[in-house]
Amino acid sequence: PRFDPQQVPVVAIDDPLPPVGAPHLRPDALRGRFAAPPVWTPEFQHDRLFRPREPSAASVLVPIVARDEPTLLLTRRTEHLTDHPGQISFPGGRAEPGDADVVATALREAREEVGLDPADIEVLGALPTYTTITAFVVTPVVALLRPGFVTQPDPHEVAEVFEVPLAFVMDPAHHRRHAIDVGTGSRQFLSMPWEGADPSGALRRYFIWGATAAMLRNFYRFLAA
């Protein structure tokens, strides 16, 4: 049976940590942070491998929609996929031989998965890699997305595209730590559950967890340093 992370007990909530203030989430502030990055250390760098597998390079786009109150564009993967079915994720995927670099991979995958036009994207920079439970070595490429963009999700890979307030995921009061004992020891992970309207307007609970939450936590550390 599929592992259900929502049933794993919460052992801590990181509300003692300060949120990243709204002025630091504005486009000019984000540009400045990447232009002159601080000295910092990523908090999460890898997960325990689920099964033996040759590592594969991959990139994801971390698209921040430059609204008056910035949002983060995320996707919900379709249920039939082999890797991470049904999970909340960034647009992205495996590097291909024709990709010039990690940015090219992220932009190509974002176009193929959700139809984002590179002309609407301003790349700010990259965060340190994160190795997923399925042995993908993922580079998060952070970018600003111009409002007015159009999405065309690939129905094979993407069940839904939605936005979550950037301030929500940059506030550790919403970062929950889970722990569970498995056959090979204890497994721990973060989640950032968010309730918002789906494309039909219905209220839905989006359970952001695993690699996506880990990369967002590293982004928080980068902005808060």
Side-chain angles (χ1 to χ4, degrees), residues 94-168:
R94 189 193 306 263
E96 294 185 356
D99 295 337
D101 53 25
V102 296
V103 172
T105 299
L107 294 177
R108 175 184 54 74
E109 285 285 340
R111 184 158 205 166
E112 291 175 0
E113 280 191 12
V114 294
L116 291 181
D117 187 341
D120 291 326
I121 298 170
E122 176 190 345
V123 173
L124 299 178
L127 297 175
T129 61
Y130 179 84
T131 302
T132 70
I133 196 170
T134 47
F136 285 100
V137 183
V138 182
T139 300
V141 176
V142 182
L144 293 173
L145 185 57
R146 184 175 61 190
F149 64 90
V150 175
T151 60
Q152 294 180 314
D154 177 353
H156 176 74
E157 295 189 43
V158 179
E160 183 181 349
V161 178
F162 66 97
E163 296 178 37
V164 58
L166 183 60
F168 178 90

Side-chain angles (χ1 to χ4, degrees), residues 23-192:
H24 301 288
L25 302 178
R26 294 172 183 154
D28 285 346
L30 295 172
R31 292 186 186 101
R33 176 50 57 111
F34 278 95
V39 177
W40 72 292
T41 302
E43 186 174 347
F44 295 92
Q45 295 180 293
H46 58 83
D47 202 342
R48 296 172 60 188
L49 293 182
F50 178 68
R51 57 183 180 271
R53 186 172 178 174
E54 191 69 23
S56 298
S59 293
V60 295
L61 192 71
V62 183
I64 298 167
V65 186
R67 304 194 188 281
D68 292 339
E69 295 185 5
T71 62
L72 184 69
L73 188 79
L74 293 169
T75 72
R76 182 168 59 85
R77 293 166 64 82
T78 52
E79 296 290 342
H80 65 267
L81 294 175
T82 302
D83 293 318
H84 312 289
Q87 291 187 16
I88 305 301
S89 65
F90 301 112
R94 189 193 306 263
E96 294 185 356
D99 295 337
D101 53 25
V102 296
V103 172
T105 299
L107 294 177
R108 175 184 54 74
E109 285 285 340
R111 184 158 205 166
E112 291 175 0
E113 280 191 12
V114 294
L116 291 181
D117 187 341
D120 291 326
I121 298 170
E122 176 190 345
V123 173
L124 299 178
L127 297 175
T129 61
Y130 179 84
T131 302
T132 70
I133 196 170
T134 47
F136 285 100
V137 183
V138 182
T139 300
V141 176
V142 182
L144 293 173
L145 185 57
R146 184 175 61 190
F149 64 90
V150 175
T151 60
Q152 294 180 314
D154 177 353
H156 176 74
E157 295 189 43
V158 179
E160 183 181 349
V161 178
F162 66 97
E163 296 178 37
V164 58
L166 183 60
F168 178 90
V169 292
M170 290 297 106
D171 183 350
H174 304 132
H175 297 183
R176 310 191 311 173
R177 294 180 181 269
H178 301 251
I180 185 173
D181 288 330
V182 293
T184 55
S186 177
R187 184 185 177 193
Q188 300 185 16
F189 60 87
L190 283 180
S191 75
M192 304 171 185

Side-chain angles (χ1 to χ4, degrees), residues 5-21:
Q6 300 189 61
Q7 301 303 314
V8 177
V10 175
V11 297
I13 298 175
D14 286 343
D15 48 0
L17 293 173
V20 177

